[in-house]
């Protein structure tokens, strides 16, 4: 390449990278003072050179409707998307209580869970639990309204690494949880605060 | 901001200042200002700044230390050799002018005037033959001037560094099309059990029977049976038992069926005596 | 280069280009699934290769306080700045002096800044510095009033193209008065004579 075109190429490369939007050839031309302004043809040559130079690299120079822009190659999307992944949100207390009551009291209707917890069970929680395939409707109770009977799934057992429900602790064992529990609980609270500050999709009590 | 004040036009001045002061004060026309109670009839000769520029000029100083530094630098003097009487003299002239022109004057400027006057008077006191550093009344002032000057210089150096928005432009390219996964929340079993413990604590004892009635193995079997009935309308009674499970398993299955019957969740169907028993979901 | 490292290089190039902020080596490592995660050393090698590849081009790969970033070479700023209508912000001396005092003296209280500058610290400046996230409160001094201790952030260093505080220009030395002590008296006498001759205004001993 002609040495005189080198600065033109570098300026155009830098401009395309620094620009907030794609650049048209005209927009590239006006970066140069009139007396040093390259021909449109030179700019086109430079662009195709820059394009060639992207071969075998992580980025490419593309022409889109509003001009030229550099973009990361699609091949690398699986790695790059990690930069935009959010921290997993946390489930609310209401969610966990509903789930654990379904586990221990299955097959169970919403009405029974409401009676035990003393508050209405949110449809959103039931929906989220079903979407995660942790609970399923096992049948309907033969009373007016035919309420669904909820139970846990194999997926639920797998997630918590249980072979069967009977591996869950008994009520008596749960009450003994206290001693070990305090520390964990404290830690969980801390984490919750932290998550509350950082996470944008906080799942609230309403879930 | 970085203009050099002493490059200002010096041809104009005296009359302008007199006019300005006449407008803004009740002083006799011939008197410019009162310095420390004494009337000033003439303008100090080493001041040559037009009054309308004075305000701008003063704005360029970051405070009394900055003004003092300017007065010293203007004479090409090392800070260590500060000619205190002269500098004090000039400094107070500026202050007076500011007061005369009714420019808003930060209290710090007046405090510095007092400090300078005090140092000067101490220098004039009769003293022992030799003077070492601790005795030099100027020492503290010189230290402050030097300290300020080094940061003033550092601020200047910082503003010369290449920086974003002015010299440095971030190079970036468009990310590819991304389908960003929304990670699902994680739950620890321990967390789940603690939630349960909370529920147990909260509900009254009477309500415990809701939960405590049957062991989990039976509850699990109940769900399993209901599950099987969902895909088939009828199940033969004996299909609910597996020999492989042994006696305990059979008992679990049997109790589960009884519980389901009791809760009207399933029905037993027998078309005629001694015919096979079927179960189906209650309808 | 080993062909197996090629994707690593491309992924890292693409990630640095697509990222919204500078990336640390750790942030680059977590883009890879654990089983395919390269060694930190390989990433450093890749980075220095990418750096070398920028030679003769319009951009450079620079390490600043919060990580690595691509940026246009400063030589091309005169052309690039035409892409923005607004002029870059200018900072007043008060702003810069306050900032350098926080940078060089951190952790530092407002009182110390005021003492050195000889004037009050403007609340507006402190607010602007905090809003730009160039300074932060790093704690409180254990004295009455619990004044905040201010320090600078990585964002401040990033802005000035610096990797660490140690890259800030060195401060001028404080000169010693001692060497001058003996001459003082003589000089004072001279000066007094001079002032006596030239001065038209008598300055009284106290203000």
């Amino acid at each position: 390449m002609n040495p005189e075109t080198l600065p033109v190429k570098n300026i155009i490369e830098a401009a395309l990278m620094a620009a907030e939007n794609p650049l048209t050839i005209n927009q590239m031309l006006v970066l140069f003072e009139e007396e040093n302004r390259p021909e449109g043809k030179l700019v086109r040559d430079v662009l195709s050179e820059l394009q060639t130079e992207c071969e075998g690299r992580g980025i490419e120079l593309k022409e889109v409707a509003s001009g030229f822009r550099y973009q990361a190659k699609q091949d690398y999307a699986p790695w790059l998307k990690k930069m935009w992944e959010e921290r997993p949100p946390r489930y609310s207390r209401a969610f966990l209580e509903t789930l654990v009551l379904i586990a221990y009291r299955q097959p169970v209707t919403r009405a029974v869970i409401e009676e035990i917890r003393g508050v209405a069970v949110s449809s959103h929680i039931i929906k989220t639990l079903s979407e995660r395939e942790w609970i399923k409707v096992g049948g309907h109770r033969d009373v007016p309204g035919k309420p669904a009977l909820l139970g846990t799934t194999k997926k639920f057992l797998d997630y918590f690494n249980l072979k069967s429900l009977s591996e869950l602790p008994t009520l008596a064992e749960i009450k003994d949880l206290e001693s070990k529990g305090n520390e964990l609980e404290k830690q969980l609270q801390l984490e919750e605060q932290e998550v509350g500050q950082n996470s944008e999709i906080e799942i609230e009590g309403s879930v | 901001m970085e203009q050099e004040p002493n490059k200002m036009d010096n041809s104009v001045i005296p009359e302008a200042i007199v006019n300005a002061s006449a407008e803004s004060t009740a002083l006799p026309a011939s008197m410019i200002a009162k310095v420390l109670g004494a009337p000033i009839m003439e303008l100090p000769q080493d001041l040559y700044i037009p009054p309308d520029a004075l305000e701008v000029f003063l704005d360029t100083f970051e405070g009394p230390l900055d003004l003092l530094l300017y007065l010293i630098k203007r004479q090409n003097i090392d800070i260590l050799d500060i000619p205190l009487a002269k500098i004090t003299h000039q400094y107070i002239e500026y202050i007076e002018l500011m007061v005369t022109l009714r420019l808003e004057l930060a209290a710090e400027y007046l405090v510095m005037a007092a400090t300078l006057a005090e140092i000067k008077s101490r220098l004039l006191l009769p003293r022992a033959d030799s003077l070492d550093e601790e005795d030099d009344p100027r020492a503290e002032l010189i230290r402050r001037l030097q300290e300020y000057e080094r940061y003033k210089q550092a601020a200047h150096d910082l503003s010369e560094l290449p920086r974003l928005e002015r010299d440095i432009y971030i190079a970036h390219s468009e990310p590819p099309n991304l389908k960003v996964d929304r990670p699902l929340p994680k739950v620890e079993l321990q967390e789940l059990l603690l939630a349960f413990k909370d529920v147990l604590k909260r509900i009254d004892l009477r309500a415990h029977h809701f939960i405590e009635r049957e062991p989990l193995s039976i509850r699990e079997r109940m769900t399993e049976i209901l599950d099987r009935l969902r895909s088939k309308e009828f199940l033969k009674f004996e299909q609910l038992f597996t020999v492989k499970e042994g006696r305990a398993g059979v008992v679990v299955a049997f109790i589960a069926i009884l519980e389901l019957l009791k809760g009207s969740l399933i029905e037993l169907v027998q078309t005629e005596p001694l015919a096979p028993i079927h179960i189906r979901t209650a309808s």
Side-chain angles (χ1 to χ4, degrees), chain A, chain B:
Chain A
M1 178 156 211
N2 183 332
E4 269 173 46
T5 62
L6 191 69
V8 172
K9 188 166 129 191
N10 286 355
I11 289 163
I12 288 180
E13 182 187 33
L16 285 165
M17 296 263 189
E20 279 152 16
N21 295 304
L23 294 180
T24 62
I25 290 182
N26 268 343
Q27 284 171 319
M28 296 178 221
L29 286 172
V30 296
L31 300 178
F32 299 86
E33 297 296 338
E34 230 170 312
E35 58 273 24
N36 298 318
R37 189 164 296 160
E39 303 271 314
K41 167 145 186 358
L42 176 63
V43 172
R44 270 185 291 273
D45 287 350
V46 157
L47 286 169
S48 86
E49 243 186 277
L50 288 170
Q51 251 156 353
T52 314
E53 283 173 17
C54 288
E55 276 166 24
R57 284 173 59 205
I59 54 167
E60 60 192 336
L61 178 55
K62 271 208 146 174
E63 186 173 5
V64 292
S66 50
F68 290 83
R69 74 173 179 210
Y70 274 101
Q71 59 184 51
K73 284 186 184 158
Q74 191 62 36
D75 301 351
Y76 304 113
W79 289 268
L80 266 50
K81 72 179 184 190
K82 298 225 171 67
M83 294 196 287
W84 284 272
E85 266 169 22
E86 298 156 73
R87 274 183 65 177
R90 297 185 73 97
Y91 289 129
S92 64
R93 252 309 144 98
F95 180 98
L96 297 175
E97 288 183 11
T98 306
L99 174 59
V100 78
L101 283 170
I102 293 173
Y104 275 84
R105 182 61 179 86
Q106 61 188 291
V108 66
T109 60
R110 263 167 87 147
V112 171
I113 300 169
E114 288 177 354
E115 195 169 344
I116 297 172
R117 291 193 59 233
V119 283
V121 169
S122 120
S123 300
H124 191 90
I125 287 180
I126 298 295
K127 191 166 157 258
T128 308
L129 283 167
S130 307
E131 277 169 1
R132 221 168 158 169
E133 293 177 61
W134 281 358
I135 65 165
K136 59 169 188 272
V137 174
H140 293 269
R141 236 188 121 189
D142 191 18
V143 293
K146 302 263 176 205
L149 286 160
L150 305 171
T152 52
T153 61
K154 174 138 192 336
K155 239 182 167 157
F156 165 80
L157 293 176
D158 289 346
Y159 184 90
F160 291 103
N161 210 15
L162 301 167
K163 273 214 289 290
S164 85
L165 271 184
S166 51
E167 285 184 8
L168 283 175
T170 63
L171 289 194
E173 283 165 342
I174 295 238
K175 283 169 192 158
D176 281 345
L177 219 57
E178 195 131 28
S179 45
K180 276 182 284 175
N182 276 345
E183 245 173 87
L184 180 69
E185 202 158 1
K186 227 181 287 169
Q187 192 206 321
L188 285 175
Q189 276 166 5
L190 277 176
E191 270 178 50
E192 257 161 53
Q193 285 169 5
E194 203 185 306
V195 170
Q197 282 158 4
N198 300 337
S199 153
E200 283 172 17
I201 14 161
E202 174 84 348
I203 299 199
E204 271 307 322
S206 63
V207 172
Chain B
M1 152 182 124
E2 276 140 25
Q3 74 193 113
E4 272 297 316
N6 55 359
K7 285 193 188 125
M8 286 175 182
D9 187 341
N10 63 358
S11 62
V12 212
I13 346 319
E15 213 171 332
I17 291 191
V18 172
N19 289 343
S21 59
E23 263 172 35
S24 57
T25 66
L27 292 173
S30 60
M31 192 172 89
I32 297 166
K34 277 188 161 188
V35 175
L36 308 174
I40 308 236
M41 310 305 280
E42 267 179 80
L43 260 186
Q45 286 176 349
D46 49 2
L47 289 180
Y48 35 76
I49 296 132
D52 48 347
L54 189 61
E55 197 159 357
V56 179
F57 172 67
L58 288 168
D59 269 352
T60 68
F61 292 115
E62 287 302 320
L65 289 169
D66 199 24
L67 175 55
L68 274 177
L69 271 181
Y70 163 72
L71 295 173
I72 294 165
K73 295 282 156 180
R74 197 176 58 167
Q75 298 170 52
N76 270 324
I77 303 168
D78 191 306
I79 294 180
L80 297 187
D81 298 327
I82 176 173
L84 203 100
K86 195 166 164 191
I87 292 297
T88 303
H89 170 75
Q90 291 176 350
Y91 180 89
I92 290 174
E93 279 178 297
Y94 274 104
I95 301 304
E96 286 301 330
L97 252 178
M98 291 188 241
V99 172
T100 308
L101 298 177
R102 295 198 160 171
L103 298 178
E104 210 174 304
L105 194 60
E108 292 93 347
Y109 282 96
L110 299 174
V111 172
M112 179 58 75
T115 307
L116 288 171
E118 198 232 324
I119 296 171
K120 187 171 168 257
S121 65
R122 278 168 60 200
L123 282 171
L124 294 173
L125 285 177
R127 55 188 171 253
D129 293 344
S130 73
L131 209 62
D132 55 28
E133 193 184 345
E134 294 100 84
D135 294 332
D136 188 337
R138 306 174 312 163
E140 171 63 10
L141 179 66
I142 289 172
R143 189 197 60 76
R144 286 184 66 193
L145 281 168
Q146 286 199 69
E147 181 89 333
Y148 171 67
E149 191 187 23
R150 69 203 299 229
Y151 290 110
K152 181 184 167 178
Q153 182 60 43
H156 178 259
D157 293 345
L158 184 74
S159 75
E160 299 283 289
L161 287 181
R163 64 189 194 216
L164 290 183
E165 299 181 278
R166 189 185 67 185
D167 317 293
I168 308 269
Y169 298 95
I170 302 284
H172 58 88
S173 56
E174 194 68 13
N177 289 325
L178 301 171
K179 273 202 206 113
V180 176
D181 303 329
R182 269 198 162 197
L184 290 169
K186 292 194 172 110
V187 185
E188 295 287 327
L189 183 58
Q190 186 82 340
E191 209 179 333
L192 194 63
L193 298 176
L194 282 169
F196 193 30
K197 207 188 92 197
D198 266 15
V199 177
L200 294 177
K201 253 194 284 185
R202 218 166 52 222
I203 62 179
D204 57 38
L205 286 172
R206 179 191 55 80
H208 269 234
H209 75 273
F210 272 119
I211 301 160
E212 217 157 12
R213 242 171 9 193
E214 300 88 13
L216 280 167
S217 52
I218 290 169
R219 299 229 153 259
E220 188 171 34
R221 188 60 63 95
M222 288 163 73
T223 296
E224 200 185 298
I225 292 169
L226 285 174
D227 210 28
R228 288 172 69 184
L229 278 173
R230 266 187 7 160
S231 46
K232 280 190 172 170
E233 209 182 333
F234 288 96
L235 276 178
K236 282 186 185 162
F237 188 66
E238 56 265 36
Q239 281 180 304
L240 300 176
F241 302 93
T242 322
V243 182
K244 252 196 331 204
E245 286 184 333
R247 199 184 147 83
V250 171
V251 171
V252 165
F254 191 67
I255 298 174
I257 292 167
L258 291 180
E259 282 297 327
L260 289 169
L261 283 170
K262 201 164 83 188
S264 319
L265 305 176
I266 58 169
E267 288 172 343
L268 288 184
V269 185
Q270 193 176 31
T271 45
E272 56 191 78
L274 299 177
I277 301 173
H278 284 85
I279 60 164
R280 67 174 184 204
T281 45
S283 55

